[in-house]
Amino acid sequence: MQIAIDGPASAGKSTIAKLIAKRLKFVYCDTGAMYRTVTLLAKNHQIDYGDVSSIVKLMDEHEIKFINKDDGQVVLLDGHNVSEEIRSEAVTNNVSQVSAIKEVREKLVELQRQLANDTDIVMDGRDIGTTVLPNAEVKIFLIASVEVRAQRRYKENVERGIETSLKTLEQEIAARDYKDSHREISPLQKADDAIEVDTSDMTIEEVVAKVLEIVQANK
Ligand code: CDP
């Protein structure tokens, strides 16, 4: 069974997808982490985020690996755990430029499809229901207002010891939404057969319950 969870920045996709995977004992795949890791690679090598050929070359030269652990997915770049580093502001604010590159998407989508090939999976991202797994049995599109999403990211940042103003976060999230929704290849878009869930006024447990209800109905 394939469960696709898409939606804009900070709508709660990863949190929900992780919990659903745990409840159902499915593999969890965070595709945003893949685009973030390629962005980190470019950053570490001081490559311009628009330099397509150099970024593609870096992807060929370095090993990006995803390991599933009980408490989520670990990202290894050349054997080093970069799961924390890929969440830095520098990566977050440049990932939309890197994820708009056609060659980057082609490589990562292929990897994502391979991962989903022989296992029950919950995959979250922007284009899972539309492009990566168009035949997924369950497609969820999670949304929430920009204000609520900025609040959530703010709380997350405080917990990780990062100082950012709420206003700045709102602007950054809106900017990323715009770039992700307006890029040429696989823009952020609700699949025709996806079920939209507005999580603005819902707790995590309520969203998990709602998604499990949708999964049950589609079994
Ligand atoms: O967790 P958050 O909502 O901040 O973002 P993410 O899911 O980690 O995704 C980071 C970025 O990767 C997005 O803003 C998109 O630019 C890109 N992305 C994508 O293009 N396609 C996907 N399937 C997943 C992420």
Side-chain angles (χ1 to χ4, degrees):
M1 184 176 199
Q2 298 177 336
I3 302 176
I5 302 188
D6 290 300
S10 298
K13 298 179 301 293
S14 315
T15 308
I16 302 304
K18 221 182 283 176
L19 288 168
I20 298 289
K22 209 169 180 180
R23 295 275 172 96
L24 299 174
K25 299 201 165 54
F26 282 18
V27 166
Y28 164 57
C29 175
D30 171 1
T31 62
M34 299 185 180
Y35 293 96
R36 286 174 178 273
T37 308
V38 177
T39 308
L40 178 67
L41 247 184
K43 177 179 168 283
N44 288 349
H45 290 81
Q46 279 118 41
I47 300 290
D48 190 282
Y49 298 114
D51 183 345
V52 177
S53 58
S54 300
I55 291 178
V56 171
K57 191 160 167 272
L58 278 180
M59 285 176 85
D60 289 334
E61 288 168 353
H62 295 267
E63 188 195 41
I64 302 176
K65 252 180 122 175
F66 298 87
I67 298 175
N68 262 285
K69 296 238 166 118
D70 271 355
D71 51 350
Q73 178 189 264
V74 172
V75 187
L76 299 179
L77 176 57
D78 295 326
H80 299 286
N81 185 348
V82 292
S83 309
E84 274 294 310
E85 239 180 298
I86 58 169
R87 309 271 153 212
S88 70
E89 289 290 291
V91 169
T92 301
N93 290 330
N94 291 295
V95 61
S96 291
Q97 191 177 349
V98 173
S99 74
I101 300 172
K102 180 168 138 268
E103 291 83 349
V104 170
R105 300 203 72 82
E106 281 169 359
K107 278 177 185 287
L108 294 184
V109 167
E110 195 192 317
L111 187 65
Q112 290 155 14
R113 287 187 181 141
Q114 274 170 19
L115 284 171
N117 220 1
D118 53 358
T119 182
D120 292 321
I121 199 161
V122 183
M123 194 175 272
D124 84 31
R126 301 290 188 285
D127 60 339
I128 311 307
T130 54
T131 307
V132 183
L133 306 175
N135 299 320
E137 287 86 348
V138 176
K139 296 182 186 178
I140 309 280
F141 198 75
L142 283 189
I143 57 161
S145 68
V146 172
E147 292 77 15
V148 167
R149 290 187 282 135
Q151 290 273 7
R152 289 178 184 162
R153 189 51 51 110
Y154 180 79
K155 232 182 108 206
E156 236 175 70
N157 280 359
V158 168
E159 278 159 15
R160 288 167 46 222
I162 300 169
E163 269 298 315
T164 342
S165 83
L166 203 54
K167 202 83 222 140
T168 306
L169 284 174
E170 264 181 35
Q171 284 160 358
E172 286 173 358
I173 285 174
R176 198 140 59 94
D177 282 356
Y178 185 86
K179 283 187 209 150
D180 289 346
S181 313
H182 288 83
R183 68 175 175 231
E184 217 168 295
I185 315 132
S186 312
L188 166 67
Q189 209 174 28
K190 177 180 164 295
D192 289 339
D193 51 350
I195 297 173
E196 186 171 283
V197 179
D198 186 340
T199 72
S200 301
D201 299 314
M202 291 170 89
T203 65
I204 291 172
E205 264 318 304
E206 283 169 348
V207 182
V208 170
K210 176 81 197 160
V211 173
L212 286 175
E213 195 186 299
I214 296 169
V215 172
Q216 283 302 332
N218 283 276
K219 255 186 175 168

